[in-house]
Amino acid sequence: MDTSCLYIAPVKRKVNPTFLQLSRPWRYFRLLMIIRACQLRILPATSQRVTDAVDALRRERIIAVPTDTLYGLAAGAHSDKSIRRLYAAKRRSETVPVAICVSDAKDVERYADTKHLAEGLLDELLPGPVTVLLSQKSSADLPLSLNPNSKLMGIRIPKSDFIRAVARQYGHALALTSANQSGSASTLDLNEFTELWDDCAFIFDGGRIVSGEFFREFE
């Protein structure tokens, strides 16, 4: 039997315009909701938001934070899950070392051997735009996934009140790396690492880091 008479293209022509009229606004609405969701995760890097950062770290999430030199990605350094999330966000080999961040110079000795250092040296260097390279203590409360192929570790205390307050309230070291994918330039502004926003529980806005131009590098 010839079934060409059963073809319902005319019906489709009647339905499609209505469907498109309904679906297009829905698509726009959905896009706006996605944008809004991202905006809700962008918070000012102020003392009032330290607890939000700490809560995210305790949930083993990643946060984006301003430092004294660049924007960084931070995670709880004592959490294996957090460390792996950090490496995944960076698209970085887990064999490449990551520095840790603590709040005060006195905290360095919790994680690294400092007996050979001159008294007061760390207080002179930190906080500031330097990474101190020291031997990791065997007693340090850090997972094997953090710098597994190195006995040395980089330790930072940025001259940034926000990240230091986060580390202090969190009570543990933070794993800290620049907010960019491996092979890309370090970032000085939120809009320079939008591809990483979905990996972060919160993005803390400290404005553009003007002084960071000197420290910008490819990593």
Side-chain angles (χ1 to χ4, degrees):
M1 182 179 73
D2 182 6
T3 58
S4 60
C5 61
L6 299 178
Y7 182 56
I8 57 173
V11 176
K12 288 184 178 179
R13 291 192 188 99
K14 292 180 181 179
V15 173
N16 277 346
T18 303
F19 172 76
L20 289 173
Q21 288 172 6
L22 293 174
S23 64
R24 283 174 181 167
W26 170 249
R27 290 172 187 169
Y28 297 146
F29 176 76
R30 185 181 179 190
L31 179 60
L32 288 173
M33 290 300 98
I34 292 172
I35 294 172
R36 179 59 174 162
C38 289
Q39 290 175 336
L40 288 173
R41 298 206 311 273
I42 299 175
L43 303 174
T46 61
S47 58
Q48 291 81 8
R49 294 298 185 176
V50 168
T51 298
D52 293 309
V54 172
D55 287 345
L57 293 170
R58 288 175 178 163
R59 289 186 282 112
E60 299 181 293
R61 299 293 305 278
I62 298 170
I63 58 174
V65 292
T67 73
D68 51 349
T69 55
L70 308 163
Y71 269 89
L73 297 179
H78 72 299
S79 165
D80 178 77
K81 184 176 181 179
S82 298
I83 296 299
R84 294 188 185 282
R85 279 181 166 172
L86 190 64
Y87 274 109
K90 286 279 292 185
R91 279 61 167 175
R92 184 179 193 173
S93 168
E94 295 185 5
T95 61
V96 180
V98 169
I100 66 169
C101 166
V102 295
S103 60
D104 300 285
K106 62 181 176 60
D107 297 320
V108 173
E109 65 180 20
R110 290 177 57 185
Y111 304 97
D113 181 10
T114 61
K115 293 179 181 179
H116 62 292
L117 299 179
E119 185 177 353
L121 178 60
L122 291 178
D123 292 303
E124 291 181 14
L125 293 174
L126 304 169
V130 296
T131 300
V132 180
L133 195 62
L134 296 169
S135 296
Q136 180 178 325
K137 275 186 175 180
S138 58
S139 59
D141 182 19
L142 298 171
L144 295 176
S145 56
L146 181 67
N147 306 336
N149 299 320
S150 177
K151 294 181 180 179
L152 298 176
M153 68 185 319
I155 302 178
R156 284 219 62 202
I157 304 179
K159 197 170 184 178
S160 167
D161 292 339
F162 181 75
I163 192 170
R164 292 182 66 196
V166 170
R168 189 175 296 116
Q169 186 170 319
Y170 183 56
H172 298 280
L174 310 179
L176 181 65
T177 184
S178 56
N180 61 288
Q181 293 182 352
S182 289
S184 301
S186 301
T187 55
L188 308 178
D189 189 273
L190 293 186
N191 294 324
E192 294 179 356
F193 60 95
T194 54
E195 71 279 4
L196 298 177
W197 287 9
D198 283 344
D199 295 301
C200 302
F202 294 111
I203 302 99
F204 291 95
D205 187 2
R208 184 167 182 82
I209 305 175
V210 179
S211 61
E213 293 289 354
F214 178 79
F215 301 96
R216 190 192 284 268
E217 60 183 13
F218 287 84
E219 185 178 295

